[in-house]
């Protein structure tokens, strides 16, 4: 405890001990200062315990406290200051009007401090003063940013003499002051001050031009009669710059300046708001929007006489909104809820806006679960018997913003959606999807298949009971979803996945002319590298390795080889190639071809054997019109004219080339196009 004359108190604004306070401009700090009297030995020099209750936003960070200043009104030399000790701190989340939906749930941090002091007997009593920094901007208080404490600095301590708004030199507009008196023991032998309950801890959120009410309640340890009043908030005046501010005396404590004419010390929230002096009930309506500071005072009377001249005060922040511009809670649940696989159901809730349960009270959600039971949780988990139930959800029951939503719940756990996949998921090979769904109650009356490519989100659907599809693009994964409905209105879904892999490729040709006795290499392709691929060529006659992808065939007699291919993913294919052996040199031309796209005999081409250069290959229709010509080796006609299919019938070909000896080989004749 350090003694210091109150007539020239120095308050340093750079300090440490961060906990429960914050710094302008974001702080909405409220507080309450009270005391209780504890007699010491002999009762001559009683101990007084001073309690400071400070409430700030939970998000605020802040420095520690100033000291408490006690002025001996009989002997100024005995004035001194006392340091605070922290007792406790806790967060409080509550809302007075849950119909006002805020972006963030409100949270206030409530901090309790105490300081003990021995106050010797005197004839005049004591005045007690606590200064603080810094008060936020409020709609009903005058704020001058040129005359404020900001981040530990006094920005301005005086006004020019010709300033018409000059209230007095050194007024600190955003300062905070709590001032009360302790009566002389000549007047009251023993006294402890009234103490407010926690009714002012929260920030009161209300709507503009809407009647509101809030009860401030205080108790007095001595049983004194209490009278409530709307009391001006306090600020102090000082002088000094930056590191320190000098408050000359407790006479420098002033009423805060109110923004007239709407607001004044007698009507801090306007003419429309008043307080019941007996109960502390504040009620009325505020016509403006923004943040407002309300200070309620309580005075104590004993035997009809006022105990102290200065009341104990309690600050509260009131936020006023234009509620027509705020969202209202909207109850939202699906109109139909299917539970087709279990009797225990987790009910959905899409109510908006959504805030944590701590924000609202127990009336946030009120469920009628349809079977006589109710619930107040956001997502009820409830067990039903089989059947149909009518569900109701009421949000904010009992409040002006209450809203109701209805739903029909179907509980038929005997529905079992399922399907089987018949096929190995190889390109070009049909995959069959077989519906195997069952239900013990009702019947499956509709189904829908949805196949979605997970890579590019493309999809296709089918309503067939057993759809078949040949996927064309390899190395893709599809989700296969089967949605079913039953005659009871129940819906259910089964999802499986199928990986599509490349099938082995068909052989490049199926009819090939080769020179008798000359080795000829065959080519097969499994669609992937040779790892895990198998090949079986049959018959094995004339092949150097019937189990390789590219065996060499040597022979003199015409033969058809069949190959069975399988790759690492189990995709398989069987294909054939016919080798026609000719003695050359010569040009061999087939007598017919079938351009139907089956990969067999689709192209009409000459087969040069021992021919070093093909001079031309031409095809004419029966009227002599040229329909195709080429000089490319093994190129041929696909049976089309100008991009359109040529009609079936007989056509005439001419082919000319030179052998390795320079001898001309010429062939001409008919060819039959078969469709």
């Amino acid at each position: 405890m350090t003694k210091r004359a109150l007539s020239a108190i120095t308050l340093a604004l750079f300090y440490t001990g961060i906990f429960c306070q914050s710094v302008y401009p974001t702080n909405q700090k409220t507080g309450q200062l009270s005391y209780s009297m504890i007699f010491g030995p002999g009762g001559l020099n009683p101990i007084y315990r001073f309690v400071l209750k400070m409430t700030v936003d939970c998000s605020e960070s802040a420095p520690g406290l100033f000291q408490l200043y006690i002025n001996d009104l009989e002997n100024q030399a005995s004035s001194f200051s006392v340091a605070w000790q922290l007792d406790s701190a806790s967060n409080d989340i509550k809302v007075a009007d849950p119909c006002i939906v805020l972006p963030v749930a409100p949270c206030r941090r409530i901090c309790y401090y105490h300081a003990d002091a021995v106050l010797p007997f005197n004839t005049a009593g004591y005045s007690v003063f606590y200064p603080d920094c810094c008060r936020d901007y409020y709609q009903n208080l005058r704020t001058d940013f040129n005359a404020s404490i900001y981040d530990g600095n006094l920005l301005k301590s005086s006004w020019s003499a010709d300033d018409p708004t000059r209230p007095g030199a050194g007024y600190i507009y955003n300062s905070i002051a709590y001032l009360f008196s302790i009566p002389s023991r000549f007047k009251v032998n023993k006294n402890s001050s009234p103490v407010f309950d926690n009714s002012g801890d929260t920030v009161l959120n209300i709507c503009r031009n809407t009647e509101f009410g809030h009860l401030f309640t205080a108790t007095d340890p001595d049983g004194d009669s209490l009278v409530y009043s709307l009391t001006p908030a306090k600020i102090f005046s000082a002088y000094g710059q930056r590191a320190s501010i000098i408050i000359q005396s407790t006479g420098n404590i002033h009423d805060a300046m109110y923004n007239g004419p709407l607001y004044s010390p007698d009507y801090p929230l306007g003419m429309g708001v008043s307080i019941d002096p007996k109960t502390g009930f504040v009620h009325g309506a505020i016509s403006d929007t923004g943040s407002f500071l309300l200070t309620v005072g309580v005075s104590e009377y004993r035997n009809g006489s006022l105990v102290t001249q200065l009341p104990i005060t309690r600050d509260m922040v009131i936020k006023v909104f234009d509620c027509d511009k705020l969202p209202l809670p909207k109850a939202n649940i699906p109109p139909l809820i299917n539970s087709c696989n279990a009797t225990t159901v987790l009910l959905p809730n899409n109510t908006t806006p959504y805030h944590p349960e701590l924000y609202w009270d127990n009336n946030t959600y009120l469920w009628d679960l349809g079977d006589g039971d109710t619930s107040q949780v956001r997502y009820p988990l409830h067990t039903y018997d089989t059947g149909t139930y009518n569900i109701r959800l009421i949000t904010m029951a009992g409040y002006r913003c209450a809203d109701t939503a209805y739903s029909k719940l179907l509980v038929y756990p005997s529905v079992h959606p399922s399907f089987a996949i018949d096929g190995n998921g190889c390109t070009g090979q049909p995959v069959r999807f077989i519906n195997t769904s069952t239900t013990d109650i009702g019947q499956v009356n509709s189904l829908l298949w949805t196949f979605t490519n997970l890579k590019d989100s493309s999809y296709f659907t089918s309503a067939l009971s057993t759809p078949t599809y040949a996927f064309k693009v390899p190395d893709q994964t599809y989700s296969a979803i089967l949605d079913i409905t039953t005659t009871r209105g129940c819906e259910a879904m089964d999802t499986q996945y199928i990986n599509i892999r490349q099938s082995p490729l068909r052989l490049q040709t199926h009819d090939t002319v080769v020179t008798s006795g000359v080795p000829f290499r065959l080519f097969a392709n499994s669609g992937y590298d040779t790892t895990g691929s198998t090949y079986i060529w049959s018959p094995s006659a004339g092949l150097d390795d019937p189990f390789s992808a590219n065996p060499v065939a040597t022979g003199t007699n015409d033969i058809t080889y069949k190959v069975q291919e399988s790759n690492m993913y189990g995709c398989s294919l069987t294909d054939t190639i016919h080798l026609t052996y000719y003695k050359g040199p010569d040009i061999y031309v087939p007598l017919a071809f079938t351009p139907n796209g089956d990969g067999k005999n689709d192209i009409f081409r000459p087969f040069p054997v021992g021919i070093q250069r093909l001079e031309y290959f031409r095809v004419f229709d029966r009227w002599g019109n040229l329909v195709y010509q080429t000089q490319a080796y093994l190129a041929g006609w696909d049976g089309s004219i100008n991009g359109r299919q040529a009609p079936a019938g007989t056509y005439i070909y001419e082919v000319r080339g030179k052998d390795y000896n320079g001898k001309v080989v010429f062939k001409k004749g008919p060819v039959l196009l078969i469709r």
Side-chain angles (χ1 to χ4, degrees), residues 606-617:
F607 296 96
V609 178
I611 302 299
Q612 65 171 336
R613 183 167 65 90
L614 186 69
E615 294 183 349
Y616 61 81
F617 171 58

Side-chain angles (χ1 to χ4, degrees), residues 328-337 346-355 360 365 367 377-380 393 395 403 405-407:
L328 291 175
K330 181 67 177 176
N332 186 356
I333 54 178
L336 180 65
I337 303 174
L346 180 65
L347 294 177
N349 186 349
N350 303 318
T351 296
T352 57
Y354 168 66
H355 287 288
W360 290 347
Y365 309 108
W367 290 86
V377 302
R378 179 171 173 81
Y379 302 106
L393 169 63
T395 61
D403 192 39
Y406 300 90
S407 177

Side-chain angles (χ1 to χ4, degrees), residues 333-339 345-348 391 407-411:
I333 54 178
L336 180 65
I337 303 174
N338 285 278
S339 180
V345 184
L346 180 65
L347 294 177
I391 307 298
S407 177
K408 178 177 287 186
L409 171 64
L410 305 178
V411 182

Side-chain angles (χ1 to χ4, degrees), residues 156-170:
K156 183 177 179 181
S157 60
S158 63
W159 286 257
S160 61
D162 58 354
D163 185 349
T165 64
R166 180 177 185 269

Side-chain angles (χ1 to χ4, degrees), residues 199-387:
S199 60
D201 295 343
T202 187
V203 173
L204 182 62
N205 300 294
I206 63 174
C207 296
R208 181 180 66 176
N209 295 325
T210 301
E211 187 77 16
F212 77 95
H214 190 79
L215 183 63
F216 286 84
T217 304
T219 56
D220 187 84
D222 306 313
D224 295 331
S225 299
L226 301 180
V227 176
Y228 299 90
S229 63
L230 299 181
T231 304
K234 301 294 183 182
I235 61 174
F236 56 78
S237 59
Y239 67 91
Q241 292 292 332
R242 297 187 66 82
S244 64
I245 295 175
I246 307 300
I247 301 176
Q248 293 179 319
S249 69
T250 53
N252 290 80
I253 309 302
H254 312 279
D255 290 346
M257 302 300 164
Y258 285 80
N259 284 326
L262 292 179
Y263 311 107
S264 66
D266 293 330
Y267 296 98
L269 300 180
M271 296 287 290
V273 179
S274 59
I275 189 171
D276 187 323
K278 294 183 180 180
T279 63
F281 183 66
V282 177
H283 60 94
I286 300 176
S287 60
D288 206 350
T289 58
S291 295
F292 294 79
L293 182 69
L294 173 64
T295 302
V296 173
V298 59
S299 300
E300 51 186 333
Y301 288 82
R302 187 175 300 176
N303 299 323
S305 298
L306 184 65
V307 176
T308 61
Q309 294 184 349
L310 298 176
I312 297 295
T313 61
R314 180 70 167 104
D315 291 338
M316 184 178 192
V317 177
I318 299 178
K319 289 187 176 181
V320 186
F321 298 89
D322 183 352
C323 292
D324 292 337
K325 298 180 179 179
L326 294 179
L328 291 175
K330 181 67 177 176
N332 186 356
I333 54 178
L336 180 65
I337 303 174
N338 285 278
S339 180
C340 301
N341 53 11
T343 55
T344 299
V345 184
L346 180 65
L347 294 177
N349 186 349
N350 303 318
T351 296
T352 57
Y354 168 66
H355 287 288
E357 302 292 348
L358 288 177
Y359 180 9
W360 290 347
D361 59 18
N362 289 333
N363 291 330
T364 301
Y365 309 108
L366 181 58
W367 290 86
D368 178 352
L369 299 177
D371 62 352
D373 285 346
T374 61
S375 176
Q376 290 181 297
V377 302
R378 179 171 173 81
Y379 302 106
L381 182 65
H382 192 64
T383 300
Y384 291 89
D385 294 327
T386 298

